[in-house]
Amino acid sequence: MPQQAAGARRAPLNRERVLRAAVALADRAGIDALSMRNLAQELDVVPMALYKHVANKEELLDGMVDTVVGEIEPPTAGADWKSAIRRRVLSARRALLGHPWASRVIESRTSPTPAVLDYLNSIIGTFRAGGFSVDLTHQVMHALGSRMWGFTQELFPAAPSVDPQAQAATFAAMAARYPHILEMAMAGSHRDESIVGGGCDDQAEFEFALDLLLDGFERLHRQGWTLPRA
Amino acid sequence: MPQQAAGARRAPLNRERVLRAAVALADRAGIDALSMRNLAQELDVVPMALYKHVANKEELLDGMVDTVVGEIEPPTAGADWKSAIRRRVLSARRALLGHPWASRVIESRTSPTPAVLDYLNSIIGTFRAGGFSVDLTHQVMHALGSRMWGFTQELFPAAPSVDPQAQAATFAAMAARYPHILEMAMAGSHRDESIVGGGCDDQAEFEFALDLLLDGFERLHRQGWTLPRA
DNA sequence: ACCTGAACACCGTTCAAGT
DNA sequence: ACCTGAACACCGTTCAAGT
């Protein structure tokens, strides 16, 4: 019912209001619930009204990404490259943690948006300012990969939500067939949230991998790494 | 037109034929073109016929993942952990390279399939057999992340396909606003395929990051790494 | 046992029209 | 300038029926 009550004027739509509503809807109901039609309903408007402010759904998603990426803290001046990158990446992580859909959507975009390019440009600039060669910067940017956005792929997909009764049977079956997975899952978490993957200390794990990479970068940089057979 | 020509009996459908056709269709036309309806048409059958062999689209995608993951070489016996993992990951990479949709679909699955669990289990087992503690194995599995499947996230989304004329203008605008990106893109490839991202030597870059990680793992393992404040 | 046809409840998006 | 209504060409999936 996009019809408003007679006389109740609603605020006029604009791009920002559309994007904010889209982010809020995706945050609350998940990215799958974000259809142009649902979003329109949320804004008390007919679906086609959105197309005046956003060319199509792709552009809507791009705008949502820019909204989230815009929340990443600007670079800190006067820090060495390593702590500058570390801070920045952890800030990206905080920005994205509030929007569970964001990592997936960032990866699915087919052309980079301005905010994304700004972020990439400034990360690259930080390595260059730290004395990294262009070639090494290129390599480490790829090595960083999506971790640059502060997230790691889920190792195990979300744990299957089975009822507690079936869980025991699943558990036994898994133990027989996937003993290593079980062992790791058992040791990893003493919060017994799920058989696989649940209960990990994500933040610590993220930082483990991030620091492993940063330390590796530092080592190569100090050793004067160059492109093999350049 | 699912109707077959009179008298021309077609091979009866079965799960494997459905999965093979789905993989072929996604390979050829892209994952977006893989709808139950298109797939049915490909198999010269009415859409609902598929549902006898596959519970729903999710299960179809799971089956496709298993098909690709099943192409990964089995573990090599008698190698040290490092070269065993390296071989395996590069084999995964070869398996996935033939199916451009596979990395995205693997990441999007919400519950792990048997072939995926087998692969995870055997990778974990390789670290354990190499003497890694359960905790360190856990950390390094997360650090490996999606690189375990032989792929890295695209750093830059696919280059926007603009006509050559507009390319020059884009180029100049990018140089002004994103100088670091430009510098890196120029140096990275002397094949001038696109402004950002194109022309990278993906295989070399993948191995750079993989070896950086493996070397880091080895160092921590040798140093007797343990969970901080366990 | 396997396949079909029609229908349901959705999508994104175009076009021509309203105010 | 901004919003609407109806329509188009798609989705995945259910149900009841055919052979």
PDB file of all heavy atoms in Angstrom, chain A residues 110 118 120-121 128 143 147-148 155-156 158 177-178 180-181 183 219, chain B residues 110 118 120-121 128 143 147-148 155-156 158 177-178 180-181 183 219:
ATOM      1  N   THR A 110      30.755  -5.642  -9.833  1.00  0.00           N
ATOM      2  CA  THR A 110      31.492  -5.894 -11.075  1.00  0.00           C
ATOM      3  C   THR A 110      32.334  -4.704 -11.519  1.00  0.00           C
ATOM      4  O   THR A 110      33.204  -4.860 -12.356  1.00  0.00           O
ATOM      5  CB  THR A 110      30.533  -6.287 -12.206  1.00  0.00           C
ATOM      6  OG1 THR A 110      29.499  -5.295 -12.267  1.00  0.00           O
ATOM      7  CG2 THR A 110      29.911  -7.648 -11.930  1.00  0.00           C
ATOM      8  N   ASP A 118      39.034   4.954  -3.738  1.00  0.00           N
ATOM      9  CA  ASP A 118      39.733   5.798  -2.771  1.00  0.00           C
ATOM     10  C   ASP A 118      40.448   4.951  -1.728  1.00  0.00           C
ATOM     11  O   ASP A 118      41.599   5.215  -1.382  1.00  0.00           O
ATOM     12  CB  ASP A 118      38.743   6.733  -2.046  1.00  0.00           C
ATOM     13  CG  ASP A 118      38.419   7.979  -2.859  1.00  0.00           C
ATOM     14  OD1 ASP A 118      39.267   8.396  -3.673  1.00  0.00           O
ATOM     15  OD2 ASP A 118      37.324   8.540  -2.678  1.00  0.00           O
ATOM     16  N   LEU A 120      41.376   1.737  -1.914  1.00  0.00           N
ATOM     17  CA  LEU A 120      42.484   1.014  -2.542  1.00  0.00           C
ATOM     18  C   LEU A 120      43.666   1.950  -2.765  1.00  0.00           C
ATOM     19  O   LEU A 120      44.814   1.636  -2.446  1.00  0.00           O
ATOM     20  CB  LEU A 120      42.056   0.437  -3.894  1.00  0.00           C
ATOM     21  CG  LEU A 120      41.081  -0.731  -3.868  1.00  0.00           C
ATOM     22  CD1 LEU A 120      40.600  -1.041  -5.278  1.00  0.00           C
ATOM     23  CD2 LEU A 120      41.745  -1.957  -3.258  1.00  0.00           C
ATOM     24  N   ASN A 121      43.360   3.113  -3.318  1.00  0.00           N
ATOM     25  CA  ASN A 121      44.419   4.073  -3.621  1.00  0.00           C
ATOM     26  C   ASN A 121      45.200   4.435  -2.363  1.00  0.00           C
ATOM     27  O   ASN A 121      46.427   4.522  -2.388  1.00  0.00           O
ATOM     28  CB  ASN A 121      43.792   5.325  -4.247  1.00  0.00           C
ATOM     29  CG  ASN A 121      44.829   6.274  -4.800  1.00  0.00           C
ATOM     30  OD1 ASN A 121      45.552   5.940  -5.738  1.00  0.00           O
ATOM     31  ND2 ASN A 121      44.925   7.468  -4.223  1.00  0.00           N
ATOM     32  N   ARG A 128      53.578   2.377  -0.599  1.00  0.00           N
ATOM     33  CA  ARG A 128      54.577   3.132  -1.378  1.00  0.00           C
ATOM     34  C   ARG A 128      55.322   4.104  -0.476  1.00  0.00           C
ATOM     35  O   ARG A 128      56.550   4.211  -0.554  1.00  0.00           O
ATOM     36  CB  ARG A 128      53.888   3.876  -2.532  1.00  0.00           C
ATOM     37  CG  ARG A 128      53.278   2.965  -3.584  1.00  0.00           C
ATOM     38  CD  ARG A 128      54.326   2.294  -4.454  1.00  0.00           C
ATOM     39  NE  ARG A 128      54.949   3.221  -5.384  1.00  0.00           N
ATOM     40  CZ  ARG A 128      56.261   3.363  -5.520  1.00  0.00           C
ATOM     41  NH1 ARG A 128      57.102   2.663  -4.779  1.00  0.00           N
ATOM     42  NH2 ARG A 128      56.738   4.208  -6.395  1.00  0.00           N
ATOM     43  N   ALA A 143      48.152 -10.360  -2.086  1.00  0.00           N
ATOM     44  CA  ALA A 143      48.248 -11.296  -0.964  1.00  0.00           C
ATOM     45  C   ALA A 143      47.256 -10.921   0.138  1.00  0.00           C
ATOM     46  O   ALA A 143      46.653 -11.777   0.777  1.00  0.00           O
ATOM     47  CB  ALA A 143      49.676 -11.323  -0.418  1.00  0.00           C
ATOM     48  N   ARG A 147      41.189  -9.644   2.725  1.00  0.00           N
ATOM     49  CA  ARG A 147      41.497  -9.314   4.116  1.00  0.00           C
ATOM     50  C   ARG A 147      41.705  -7.815   4.276  1.00  0.00           C
ATOM     51  O   ARG A 147      41.586  -7.277   5.375  1.00  0.00           O
ATOM     52  CB  ARG A 147      42.734 -10.071   4.592  1.00  0.00           C
ATOM     53  CG  ARG A 147      42.558 -10.587   6.010  1.00  0.00           C
ATOM     54  CD  ARG A 147      43.653 -11.558   6.413  1.00  0.00           C
ATOM     55  NE  ARG A 147      43.824 -12.629   5.465  1.00  0.00           N
ATOM     56  CZ  ARG A 147      43.407 -13.861   5.663  1.00  0.00           C
ATOM     57  NH1 ARG A 147      42.819 -14.185   6.782  1.00  0.00           N
ATOM     58  NH2 ARG A 147      43.613 -14.774   4.756  1.00  0.00           N
ATOM     59  N   MET A 148      42.010  -7.181   3.181  1.00  0.00           N
ATOM     60  CA  MET A 148      42.090  -5.719   3.161  1.00  0.00           C
ATOM     61  C   MET A 148      40.790  -5.071   3.615  1.00  0.00           C
ATOM     62  O   MET A 148      40.794  -3.980   4.168  1.00  0.00           O
ATOM     63  CB  MET A 148      42.401  -5.338   1.718  1.00  0.00           C
ATOM     64  CG  MET A 148      42.090  -3.963   1.299  1.00  0.00           C
ATOM     65  SD  MET A 148      42.848  -3.718  -0.301  1.00  0.00           S
ATOM     66  CE  MET A 148      42.007  -4.944  -1.280  1.00  0.00           C
ATOM     67  N   LEU A 155      35.584 -20.299   6.894  1.00  0.00           N
ATOM     68  CA  LEU A 155      36.233 -21.561   6.583  1.00  0.00           C
ATOM     69  C   LEU A 155      35.185 -22.625   6.335  1.00  0.00           C
ATOM     70  O   LEU A 155      35.140 -23.272   5.309  1.00  0.00           O
ATOM     71  CB  LEU A 155      37.087 -21.989   7.770  1.00  0.00           C
ATOM     72  CG  LEU A 155      38.484 -22.489   7.489  1.00  0.00           C
ATOM     73  CD1 LEU A 155      39.024 -23.217   8.667  1.00  0.00           C
ATOM     74  CD2 LEU A 155      38.553 -23.294   6.226  1.00  0.00           C
ATOM     75  N   PHE A 156      34.344 -22.746   7.310  1.00  0.00           N
ATOM     76  CA  PHE A 156      33.218 -23.643   7.175  1.00  0.00           C
ATOM     77  C   PHE A 156      31.983 -22.794   7.032  1.00  0.00           C
ATOM     78  O   PHE A 156      31.808 -21.835   7.758  1.00  0.00           O
ATOM     79  CB  PHE A 156      33.055 -24.502   8.427  1.00  0.00           C
ATOM     80  CG  PHE A 156      34.270 -25.275   8.757  1.00  0.00           C
ATOM     81  CD1 PHE A 156      35.160 -24.819   9.718  1.00  0.00           C
ATOM     82  CD2 PHE A 156      34.555 -26.454   8.110  1.00  0.00           C
ATOM     83  CE1 PHE A 156      36.297 -25.530  10.027  1.00  0.00           C
ATOM     84  CE2 PHE A 156      35.694 -27.170   8.410  1.00  0.00           C
ATOM     85  CZ  PHE A 156      36.568 -26.709   9.376  1.00  0.00           C
ATOM     86  N   ALA A 158      28.175 -21.697   7.508  1.00  0.00           N
ATOM     87  CA  ALA A 158      27.420 -21.653   8.753  1.00  0.00           C
ATOM     88  C   ALA A 158      27.015 -23.064   9.173  1.00  0.00           C
ATOM     89  O   ALA A 158      26.606 -23.873   8.358  1.00  0.00           O
ATOM     90  CB  ALA A 158      26.187 -20.779   8.582  1.00  0.00           C
ATOM     91  N   ARG A 177      33.966 -40.101   9.987  1.00  0.00           N
ATOM     92  CA  ARG A 177      34.355 -39.783   8.615  1.00  0.00           C
ATOM     93  C   ARG A 177      35.329 -38.616   8.520  1.00  0.00           C
ATOM     94  O   ARG A 177      36.153 -38.579   7.612  1.00  0.00           O
ATOM     95  CB  ARG A 177      33.093 -39.488   7.801  1.00  0.00           C
ATOM     96  CG  ARG A 177      33.418 -39.087   6.397  1.00  0.00           C
ATOM     97  CD  ARG A 177      32.469 -39.611   5.371  1.00  0.00           C
ATOM     98  NE  ARG A 177      32.931 -39.196   4.063  1.00  0.00           N
ATOM     99  CZ  ARG A 177      32.153 -38.976   3.011  1.00  0.00           C
ATOM    100  NH1 ARG A 177      30.849 -39.174   3.128  1.00  0.00           N
ATOM    101  NH2 ARG A 177      32.659 -38.600   1.859  1.00  0.00           N
ATOM    102  N   TYR A 178      35.193 -37.636   9.412  1.00  0.00           N
ATOM    103  CA  TYR A 178      36.039 -36.440   9.342  1.00  0.00           C
ATOM    104  C   TYR A 178      36.743 -36.196  10.677  1.00  0.00           C
ATOM    105  O   TYR A 178      36.529 -35.172  11.322  1.00  0.00           O
ATOM    106  CB  TYR A 178      35.200 -35.216   8.974  1.00  0.00           C
ATOM    107  CG  TYR A 178      34.244 -35.420   7.824  1.00  0.00           C
ATOM    108  CD1 TYR A 178      32.868 -35.459   8.025  1.00  0.00           C
ATOM    109  CD2 TYR A 178      34.728 -35.579   6.519  1.00  0.00           C
ATOM    110  CE1 TYR A 178      31.993 -35.643   6.959  1.00  0.00           C
ATOM    111  CE2 TYR A 178      33.860 -35.757   5.446  1.00  0.00           C
ATOM    112  CZ  TYR A 178      32.492 -35.794   5.682  1.00  0.00           C
ATOM    113  OH  TYR A 178      31.629 -35.975   4.635  1.00  0.00           O
ATOM    114  N   HIS A 180      39.676 -35.318  11.621  1.00  0.00           N
ATOM    115  CA  HIS A 180      40.509 -34.123  11.794  1.00  0.00           C
ATOM    116  C   HIS A 180      39.672 -32.865  12.002  1.00  0.00           C
ATOM    117  O   HIS A 180      40.028 -31.997  12.782  1.00  0.00           O
ATOM    118  CB  HIS A 180      41.431 -33.949  10.589  1.00  0.00           C
ATOM    119  CG  HIS A 180      42.373 -35.086  10.402  1.00  0.00           C
ATOM    120  ND1 HIS A 180      43.244 -35.495  11.383  1.00  0.00           N
ATOM    121  CD2 HIS A 180      42.569 -35.923   9.358  1.00  0.00           C
ATOM    122  CE1 HIS A 180      43.954 -36.528  10.936  1.00  0.00           C
ATOM    123  NE2 HIS A 180      43.553 -36.808   9.711  1.00  0.00           N
ATOM    124  N   ILE A 181      38.574 -32.801  11.259  1.00  0.00           N
ATOM    125  CA  ILE A 181      37.687 -31.648  11.432  1.00  0.00           C
ATOM    126  C   ILE A 181      37.151 -31.628  12.855  1.00  0.00           C
ATOM    127  O   ILE A 181      37.152 -30.598  13.526  1.00  0.00           O
ATOM    128  CB  ILE A 181      36.516 -31.700  10.427  1.00  0.00           C
ATOM    129  CG1 ILE A 181      37.036 -31.539   8.984  1.00  0.00           C
ATOM    130  CG2 ILE A 181      35.485 -30.617  10.734  1.00  0.00           C
ATOM    131  CD1 ILE A 181      35.962 -31.585   7.918  1.00  0.00           C
ATOM    132  N   GLU A 183      38.383 -33.007  15.577  1.00  0.00           N
ATOM    133  CA  GLU A 183      39.416 -32.703  16.566  1.00  0.00           C
ATOM    134  C   GLU A 183      39.649 -31.200  16.653  1.00  0.00           C
ATOM    135  O   GLU A 183      39.712 -30.613  17.731  1.00  0.00           O
ATOM    136  CB  GLU A 183      40.727 -33.402  16.181  1.00  0.00           C
ATOM    137  CG  GLU A 183      41.865 -33.122  17.136  1.00  0.00           C
ATOM    138  CD  GLU A 183      43.208 -33.556  16.568  1.00  0.00           C
ATOM    139  OE1 GLU A 183      43.503 -33.264  15.376  1.00  0.00           O
ATOM    140  OE2 GLU A 183      43.988 -34.176  17.314  1.00  0.00           O
ATOM    141  N   ARG A 219      59.347  -8.687   6.034  1.00  0.00           N
ATOM    142  CA  ARG A 219      60.547  -9.482   5.808  1.00  0.00           C
ATOM    143  C   ARG A 219      61.014  -9.352   4.357  1.00  0.00           C
ATOM    144  O   ARG A 219      62.176  -9.089   4.079  1.00  0.00           O
ATOM    145  CB  ARG A 219      60.229 -10.946   6.159  1.00  0.00           C
ATOM    146  CG  ARG A 219      61.430 -11.813   6.376  1.00  0.00           C
ATOM    147  CD  ARG A 219      61.030 -13.157   6.965  1.00  0.00           C
ATOM    148  NE  ARG A 219      60.601 -13.055   8.345  1.00  0.00           N
ATOM    149  CZ  ARG A 219      59.376 -13.343   8.799  1.00  0.00           C
ATOM    150  NH1 ARG A 219      58.448 -13.796   7.964  1.00  0.00           N
ATOM    151  NH2 ARG A 219      59.085 -13.211  10.066  1.00  0.00           N
TER     152      ARG A 219
ATOM    153  N   THR B 110      25.673 -22.618   2.006  1.00  0.00           N
ATOM    154  CA  THR B 110      25.388 -22.380   3.417  1.00  0.00           C
ATOM    155  C   THR B 110      25.648 -23.588   4.305  1.00  0.00           C
ATOM    156  O   THR B 110      25.725 -23.451   5.512  1.00  0.00           O
ATOM    157  CB  THR B 110      23.931 -21.924   3.606  1.00  0.00           C
ATOM    158  OG1 THR B 110      23.085 -22.858   2.948  1.00  0.00           O
ATOM    159  CG2 THR B 110      23.723 -20.537   3.007  1.00  0.00           C
ATOM    160  N   ASP B 118      35.421 -33.653   2.982  1.00  0.00           N
ATOM    161  CA  ASP B 118      36.558 -34.543   2.738  1.00  0.00           C
ATOM    162  C   ASP B 118      37.830 -33.752   2.474  1.00  0.00           C
ATOM    163  O   ASP B 118      38.903 -34.081   2.993  1.00  0.00           O
ATOM    164  CB  ASP B 118      36.273 -35.445   1.515  1.00  0.00           C
ATOM    165  CG  ASP B 118      35.431 -36.651   1.878  1.00  0.00           C
ATOM    166  OD1 ASP B 118      35.499 -37.100   3.043  1.00  0.00           O
ATOM    167  OD2 ASP B 118      34.719 -37.162   0.996  1.00  0.00           O
ATOM    168  N   LEU B 120      38.533 -30.587   3.302  1.00  0.00           N
ATOM    169  CA  LEU B 120      38.955 -29.904   4.530  1.00  0.00           C
ATOM    170  C   LEU B 120      39.628 -30.872   5.481  1.00  0.00           C
ATOM    171  O   LEU B 120      40.696 -30.602   6.033  1.00  0.00           O
ATOM    172  CB  LEU B 120      37.746 -29.283   5.246  1.00  0.00           C
ATOM    173  CG  LEU B 120      37.097 -28.067   4.596  1.00  0.00           C
ATOM    174  CD1 LEU B 120      35.806 -27.711   5.320  1.00  0.00           C
ATOM    175  CD2 LEU B 120      38.057 -26.883   4.616  1.00  0.00           C
ATOM    176  N   ASN B 121      38.974 -32.009   5.641  1.00  0.00           N
ATOM    177  CA  ASN B 121      39.499 -33.011   6.567  1.00  0.00           C
ATOM    178  C   ASN B 121      40.912 -33.439   6.168  1.00  0.00           C
ATOM    179  O   ASN B 121      41.794 -33.570   7.018  1.00  0.00           O
ATOM    180  CB  ASN B 121      38.565 -34.222   6.585  1.00  0.00           C
ATOM    181  CG  ASN B 121      38.912 -35.201   7.687  1.00  0.00           C
ATOM    182  OD1 ASN B 121      38.822 -34.876   8.865  1.00  0.00           O
ATOM    183  ND2 ASN B 121      39.331 -36.405   7.292  1.00  0.00           N
ATOM    184  N   ARG B 128      48.342 -31.771  10.603  1.00  0.00           N
ATOM    185  CA  ARG B 128      48.514 -32.540  11.836  1.00  0.00           C
ATOM    186  C   ARG B 128      49.629 -33.571  11.673  1.00  0.00           C
ATOM    187  O   ARG B 128      50.460 -33.734  12.564  1.00  0.00           O
ATOM    188  CB  ARG B 128      47.198 -33.227  12.229  1.00  0.00           C
ATOM    189  CG  ARG B 128      46.083 -32.258  12.580  1.00  0.00           C
ATOM    190  CD  ARG B 128      46.278 -31.618  13.946  1.00  0.00           C
ATOM    191  NE  ARG B 128      46.065 -32.567  15.017  1.00  0.00           N
ATOM    192  CZ  ARG B 128      46.932 -32.774  16.006  1.00  0.00           C
ATOM    193  NH1 ARG B 128      48.064 -32.113  16.049  1.00  0.00           N
ATOM    194  NH2 ARG B 128      46.643 -33.630  16.953  1.00  0.00           N
ATOM    195  N   ALA B 143      43.897 -18.777   8.231  1.00  0.00           N
ATOM    196  CA  ALA B 143      44.768 -17.866   7.486  1.00  0.00           C
ATOM    197  C   ALA B 143      44.768 -18.222   5.998  1.00  0.00           C
ATOM    198  O   ALA B 143      44.805 -17.364   5.130  1.00  0.00           O
ATOM    199  CB  ALA B 143      46.184 -17.916   8.049  1.00  0.00           C
ATOM    200  N   ARG B 147      42.037 -19.268  -0.032  1.00  0.00           N
ATOM    201  CA  ARG B 147      43.191 -19.640  -0.849  1.00  0.00           C
ATOM    202  C   ARG B 147      43.389 -21.158  -0.847  1.00  0.00           C
ATOM    203  O   ARG B 147      44.023 -21.715  -1.751  1.00  0.00           O
ATOM    204  CB  ARG B 147      44.452 -18.942  -0.348  1.00  0.00           C
ATOM    205  CG  ARG B 147      45.328 -18.484  -1.503  1.00  0.00           C
ATOM    206  CD  ARG B 147      46.433 -17.546  -1.048  1.00  0.00           C
ATOM    207  NE  ARG B 147      45.948 -16.485  -0.214  1.00  0.00           N
ATOM    208  CZ  ARG B 147      45.822 -15.222  -0.599  1.00  0.00           C
ATOM    209  NH1 ARG B 147      46.145 -14.876  -1.811  1.00  0.00           N
ATOM    210  NH2 ARG B 147      45.388 -14.315   0.240  1.00  0.00           N
ATOM    211  N   MET B 148      42.835 -21.786   0.150  1.00  0.00           N
ATOM    212  CA  MET B 148      42.817 -23.240   0.197  1.00  0.00           C
ATOM    213  C   MET B 148      42.153 -23.853  -1.031  1.00  0.00           C
ATOM    214  O   MET B 148      42.482 -24.952  -1.457  1.00  0.00           O
ATOM    215  CB  MET B 148      42.047 -23.615   1.455  1.00  0.00           C
ATOM    216  CG  MET B 148      41.511 -24.978   1.537  1.00  0.00           C
ATOM    217  SD  MET B 148      40.943 -25.221   3.236  1.00  0.00           S
ATOM    218  CE  MET B 148      39.689 -23.975   3.376  1.00  0.00           C
ATOM    219  N   LEU B 155      41.222  -8.469  -6.702  1.00  0.00           N
ATOM    220  CA  LEU B 155      41.546  -7.227  -6.017  1.00  0.00           C
ATOM    221  C   LEU B 155      40.656  -6.112  -6.538  1.00  0.00           C
ATOM    222  O   LEU B 155      39.972  -5.430  -5.809  1.00  0.00           O
ATOM    223  CB  LEU B 155      42.999  -6.872  -6.317  1.00  0.00           C
ATOM    224  CG  LEU B 155      43.848  -6.411  -5.158  1.00  0.00           C
ATOM    225  CD1 LEU B 155      45.067  -5.698  -5.647  1.00  0.00           C
ATOM    226  CD2 LEU B 155      43.067  -5.582  -4.170  1.00  0.00           C
ATOM    227  N   PHE B 156      40.696  -5.964  -7.828  1.00  0.00           N
ATOM    228  CA  PHE B 156      39.821  -5.026  -8.488  1.00  0.00           C
ATOM    229  C   PHE B 156      38.782  -5.825  -9.228  1.00  0.00           C
ATOM    230  O   PHE B 156      39.119  -6.791  -9.884  1.00  0.00           O
ATOM    231  CB  PHE B 156      40.595  -4.192  -9.506  1.00  0.00           C
ATOM    232  CG  PHE B 156      41.737  -3.477  -8.901  1.00  0.00           C
ATOM    233  CD1 PHE B 156      43.017  -3.995  -8.987  1.00  0.00           C
ATOM    234  CD2 PHE B 156      41.536  -2.293  -8.221  1.00  0.00           C
ATOM    235  CE1 PHE B 156      44.082  -3.334  -8.418  1.00  0.00           C
ATOM    236  CE2 PHE B 156      42.608  -1.629  -7.660  1.00  0.00           C
ATOM    237  CZ  PHE B 156      43.884  -2.143  -7.755  1.00  0.00           C
ATOM    238  N   ALA B 158      36.281  -6.791 -12.171  1.00  0.00           N
ATOM    239  CA  ALA B 158      36.572  -6.840 -13.602  1.00  0.00           C
ATOM    240  C   ALA B 158      36.605  -5.425 -14.174  1.00  0.00           C
ATOM    241  O   ALA B 158      35.786  -4.589 -13.830  1.00  0.00           O
ATOM    242  CB  ALA B 158      35.510  -7.665 -14.323  1.00  0.00           C
ATOM    243  N   ARG B 177      42.971  11.330  -9.775  1.00  0.00           N
ATOM    244  CA  ARG B 177      42.335  11.038  -8.502  1.00  0.00           C
ATOM    245  C   ARG B 177      42.930   9.824  -7.790  1.00  0.00           C
ATOM    246  O   ARG B 177      42.944   9.760  -6.575  1.00  0.00           O
ATOM    247  CB  ARG B 177      40.839  10.820  -8.746  1.00  0.00           C
ATOM    248  CG  ARG B 177      40.115  10.426  -7.510  1.00  0.00           C
ATOM    249  CD  ARG B 177      38.735  10.994  -7.376  1.00  0.00           C
ATOM    250  NE  ARG B 177      38.167  10.567  -6.109  1.00  0.00           N
ATOM    251  CZ  ARG B 177      36.884  10.435  -5.852  1.00  0.00           C
ATOM    252  NH1 ARG B 177      36.016  10.746  -6.790  1.00  0.00           N
ATOM    253  NH2 ARG B 177      36.455  10.023  -4.681  1.00  0.00           N
ATOM    254  N   TYR B 178      43.371   8.828  -8.559  1.00  0.00           N
ATOM    255  CA  TYR B 178      43.885   7.594  -7.943  1.00  0.00           C
ATOM    256  C   TYR B 178      45.301   7.311  -8.450  1.00  0.00           C
ATOM    257  O   TYR B 178      45.533   6.274  -9.085  1.00  0.00           O
ATOM    258  CB  TYR B 178      42.969   6.412  -8.266  1.00  0.00           C
ATOM    259  CG  TYR B 178      41.500   6.690  -8.043  1.00  0.00           C
ATOM    260  CD1 TYR B 178      40.628   6.791  -9.127  1.00  0.00           C
ATOM    261  CD2 TYR B 178      40.984   6.852  -6.760  1.00  0.00           C
ATOM    262  CE1 TYR B 178      39.271   7.035  -8.932  1.00  0.00           C
ATOM    263  CE2 TYR B 178      39.632   7.109  -6.565  1.00  0.00           C
ATOM    264  CZ  TYR B 178      38.785   7.197  -7.648  1.00  0.00           C
ATOM    265  OH  TYR B 178      37.456   7.440  -7.454  1.00  0.00           O
ATOM    266  N   HIS B 180      48.055   6.270  -7.172  1.00  0.00           N
ATOM    267  CA  HIS B 180      48.730   5.047  -6.743  1.00  0.00           C
ATOM    268  C   HIS B 180      48.198   3.826  -7.469  1.00  0.00           C
ATOM    269  O   HIS B 180      48.935   2.908  -7.805  1.00  0.00           O
ATOM    270  CB  HIS B 180      48.582   4.869  -5.231  1.00  0.00           C
ATOM    271  CG  HIS B 180      49.192   5.977  -4.448  1.00  0.00           C
ATOM    272  ND1 HIS B 180      50.517   6.343  -4.569  1.00  0.00           N
ATOM    273  CD2 HIS B 180      48.665   6.832  -3.543  1.00  0.00           C
ATOM    274  CE1 HIS B 180      50.775   7.355  -3.753  1.00  0.00           C
ATOM    275  NE2 HIS B 180      49.662   7.677  -3.124  1.00  0.00           N
ATOM    276  N   ILE B 181      46.897   3.826  -7.687  1.00  0.00           N
ATOM    277  CA  ILE B 181      46.310   2.704  -8.433  1.00  0.00           C
ATOM    278  C   ILE B 181      46.876   2.679  -9.847  1.00  0.00           C
ATOM    279  O   ILE B 181      47.279   1.627 -10.353  1.00  0.00           O
ATOM    280  CB  ILE B 181      44.772   2.835  -8.487  1.00  0.00           C
ATOM    281  CG1 ILE B 181      44.175   2.690  -7.087  1.00  0.00           C
ATOM    282  CG2 ILE B 181      44.173   1.792  -9.432  1.00  0.00           C
ATOM    283  CD1 ILE B 181      42.659   2.818  -7.047  1.00  0.00           C
ATOM    284  N   GLU B 183      49.686   3.952 -11.003  1.00  0.00           N
ATOM    285  CA  GLU B 183      51.104   3.586 -11.023  1.00  0.00           C
ATOM    286  C   GLU B 183      51.259   2.068 -10.951  1.00  0.00           C
ATOM    287  O   GLU B 183      52.009   1.455 -11.709  1.00  0.00           O
ATOM    288  CB  GLU B 183      51.817   4.227  -9.837  1.00  0.00           C
ATOM    289  CG  GLU B 183      53.302   3.918  -9.775  1.00  0.00           C
ATOM    290  CD  GLU B 183      53.920   4.295  -8.426  1.00  0.00           C
ATOM    291  OE1 GLU B 183      53.307   3.997  -7.362  1.00  0.00           O
ATOM    292  OE2 GLU B 183      55.016   4.860  -8.422  1.00  0.00           O
ATOM    293  N   ARG B 219      57.560 -21.065   9.830  1.00  0.00           N
ATOM    294  CA  ARG B 219      58.315 -20.317  10.836  1.00  0.00           C
ATOM    295  C   ARG B 219      57.653 -20.443  12.210  1.00  0.00           C
ATOM    296  O   ARG B 219      58.299 -20.748  13.205  1.00  0.00           O
ATOM    297  CB  ARG B 219      58.375 -18.845  10.397  1.00  0.00           C
ATOM    298  CG  ARG B 219      59.450 -18.044  11.079  1.00  0.00           C
ATOM    299  CD  ARG B 219      59.651 -16.691  10.395  1.00  0.00           C
ATOM    300  NE  ARG B 219      60.240 -16.814   9.076  1.00  0.00           N
ATOM    301  CZ  ARG B 219      59.658 -16.458   7.930  1.00  0.00           C
ATOM    302  NH1 ARG B 219      58.452 -15.943   7.939  1.00  0.00           N
ATOM    303  NH2 ARG B 219      60.288 -16.616   6.785  1.00  0.00           N
TER     304      ARG B 219
END
